[in-house]
Amino acid sequence: MKKIAFRLFALVLVFSMLLTACGQAATEAPAVVPTEAAATEAAATEAVATEAALPGCGTDPVVLKATFETGFDIPFKLAEEFTKQFPNVTWDISQDQFANLITSTPLVLASDDAPDLLRLPTMVSFAKDGLLMNLDPYAEAFGWNDWPVPQLNQNRIDADGVRGSGTLYAMGLNYSLTGVFYNKEQAAQIGMTEAPKTVAEFEALLAAAKDAGLQPIMMWGSAKSGMGLAFPLQQLMAAYGPVGPINDWIFGKAGATIDTETNLTAAQHLQQWIEAGYFPSDINAIEYTDAAARFGAGEGVFTFNGDWQNAGYDTALPGNVGFFLFPPAEEGGGYAAMSAPLTFGIAAKAKNPDCAAFFLNWVATNDAARAIDVAIGGSNPGGPAGATMPAVTEGSVTNETLAAGPVMGADGGAMDFIANATSAIFAQGWTPELQKMVAGEQDAAGLLAAVQAEYLRELSQ
């Protein structure tokens, strides 16, 4: 933050010199009434001075070191566009699977060659250990605190280590929404004419797909990618119970538990889906990218995923992919979904923190960057409340995911992902226990008990 302080000091010094010069000029010449052109020029000069005072990348060569998640094009496309607009900035990018990032990130952050910018699989433990930069000064400088509150709150951590308020440690490259994607042609084959209104209606469609010889749901489950069955499980949790306790558990609120009666009902439904053969028999060996490709090739009536995959689905199955929010248990109930930022932070040891923060601000406020968010990421780009939403291709699935966001928001059903509760809960809790359930070695009650035990073990460390 010394760079910010220095720029502010320099700006004050410049203004002091200008005021002194003006004072001297005033004794030597009569006052001149400013013309409209002069006022316009003065305003432009003030705007330039204000811009210069903000954190930025300067004009000297800068190499931003970054860690991105494999399988997601959006950060790479944003980095490419950023260099086009700021040619002095180039990138040194490494990438890895989400599950690997969970275990490797602490070492990466602690190294003397820590990245300026990195995808965060989780953040509480990293913040507690002093590995992440406090972004509050940047939030003040760029005006992020004036943006809609939900954009920043998921990335704030209070003094007790509970997410939802307090110090800002990360920002989102966009704000994603998850739900159910479906193959329109195959859905029509099983009699689906509109999105299901209840879990029972959805389960009837799954049974119809199985009877028709179609793959009901395409999902991934390898340890390398992390178990994708956490997606439908969390949607079932929100269908049979309130989202508040789920978020409390994810955010680390004292006394929170995932092992509840309503979550048991949800896990029992998932177990029934597994036993009914609604998922691929080889799911434990399927990686995320393979599942996306197989759905794009027509294998699967449904898949649970996020809007970041919109561009891929539209490319593979143009005009043939639809989307709906997972339905509630009872008709007329509220809709809920995982809706969270694609979270990126700045390492405490970053060599170019001002430039990294400038990039995060640029992503949400630059027209070209926002267009990439929508076209490639398929997601709401966030940013200031009055920011214009980029145009969306007619007939694309992005139209449907963007339209679903306000519906879910109006019902207060936004959740973070249960894989983000602790640094290792996805790799050490959800993934192995769900893989055991697929193999018939774990039941619904045992799943929740085992994950809760792992959660408490990690929080006690």
Side-chain angles (χ1 to χ4, degrees), residues 142-152 171-176 341 359-367 369-370 373-374 379-390:
F142 287 116
W144 296 342
N145 293 324
D146 296 327
W147 295 2
V149 171
Q151 290 187 46
L152 275 66
M171 288 290 284
L173 293 196
N174 59 9
Y175 296 82
S176 297
F359 171 79
L360 292 174
N361 186 71
W362 172 87
V363 166
T365 58
N366 179 267
D367 288 343
R370 290 173 62 82
D373 265 332
V374 172
S379 307
N380 190 313
T388 302
M389 181 67 71

Side-chain angles (χ1 to χ4, degrees), residues 2 9 21 88 178-179 196 224 232 237 286 309 351 356 360 375-376 378 386:
K2 293 180 179 177
F9 172 78
N88 65 305
T178 66
K224 188 174 182 180
M237 288 177 176
I286 299 176
Q309 195 59 44
K351 294 179 175 61
L360 292 174
I376 305 300

Side-chain angles (χ1 to χ4, degrees), residues 30-50:
V32 178
V33 177
T35 63
E36 183 177 346
T40 301
E41 182 178 352
T45 300
E46 183 178 352
V48 170
T50 301

